[in-house]
Amino acid sequence: MSALHLTRHSVFVATKRWAMACLRTLLLLLAIAIQTGCASRYITQSERLQSQGQHEQAVERMREAERRFPDDVRVRATARRLQEESLDALIQAARQELAAGREAQADAMLLRALSIDARNDRALSLQEELRRTARARLAAERASELIAQGDLDRARQLVDQGLADLPRHRELLAQRSEIE
């Protein structure tokens, strides 16, 4: 073999190796671009669900994205953000319902929040406040019956128990004044 043939062969082999390396790099970049596109779809869908008030579905969609793309920092950050925003919205809605006296609706909002994060301190605290409000309301109702029957001692006990749960309950405070 001539030296010229060996040189052409070496150039051909080197060019082929370089082309294969370029092809591998392009395939890797394409895979990354596809994965990024898929992750972006999850984020877009989750944000749309959240804007429609479908907080649990939005958070679950991002949890799926986290399972599929565990190393994607943007997915993790978006998942945390959407979870916090969803919890904030549901807890705020529960507070508004409770303030309006709609305890059942407030409880429903809190159950939704706790389905997202079962250990959320704010939701658990508000749920306990809701329970105290319900107990105070029941105590006031029963105390009204006892007052009407003339059983002021038992009515006073119920009022005191209710006020121990919720010291500023208007109806119980009015009943205390009525009994005394």
Side-chain angles (χ1 to χ4, degrees):
M1 275 185 142
S2 71
L4 182 61
H5 180 68
L6 282 175
T7 304
R8 277 192 222 168
H9 179 70
S10 298
V11 169
F12 175 75
V13 170
T15 303
K16 185 176 175 184
R17 284 184 187 148
W18 179 82
M20 290 304 289
C22 288
L23 183 60
R24 281 192 299 273
T25 302
L26 285 173
L27 289 174
L28 179 62
L29 290 172
L30 180 61
I32 291 170
I34 289 171
Q35 182 174 347
T36 301
C38 289
S40 293
R41 253 194 321 261
Y42 276 92
I43 292 169
T44 302
Q45 290 169 353
S46 295
E47 288 174 337
R48 182 176 36 78
L49 287 167
Q50 185 188 40
S51 72
Q52 295 169 348
Q54 298 176 21
H55 299 287
E56 301 89 340
Q57 295 87 341
V59 170
E60 182 54 38
R61 190 76 177 137
M62 285 310 300
R63 287 179 181 159
E64 288 175 33
E66 283 184 297
R67 287 189 292 274
R68 281 197 69 190
F69 311 105
D71 298 328
D72 192 319
V73 174
R74 193 173 49 126
V75 166
R76 285 196 312 266
T78 302
R80 298 299 166 262
R81 178 180 56 81
L82 285 178
Q83 179 171 324
E84 284 305 312
E85 289 174 358
S86 293
L87 286 168
D88 289 344
L90 291 169
I91 291 169
Q92 181 60 33
R95 287 184 198 287
Q96 290 170 348
E97 296 292 349
L98 184 57
R102 295 186 293 265
E103 294 170 11
Q105 291 88 338
D107 190 45
M109 291 295 161
L110 290 173
L111 290 175
R112 289 179 64 192
L114 290 169
S115 75
I116 292 172
D117 180 4
R119 296 179 295 181
N120 183 275
D121 290 336
R122 293 177 299 146
L124 290 170
S125 174
L126 191 55
Q127 192 176 50
E128 181 55 34
E129 181 180 333
L130 183 60
R131 286 187 191 118
R132 286 192 313 269
T133 300
R135 285 192 304 263
R137 182 180 37 76
L138 290 173
E141 289 171 5
R142 182 68 181 126
S144 290
E145 294 170 5
L146 291 171
I147 291 169
Q149 295 169 4
D151 191 348
L152 298 182
D153 289 334
R154 286 183 50 209
R156 184 178 296 112
Q157 287 176 338
L158 277 175
V159 167
D160 289 342
Q161 288 171 358
L163 288 172
D165 263 343
L166 209 60
R168 290 185 223 114
H169 192 271
R170 283 185 229 137
E171 191 174 351
L172 289 171
L173 290 169
Q175 287 173 335
R176 177 190 275 168
S177 296
E178 183 180 340
I179 292 169
E180 294 172 351

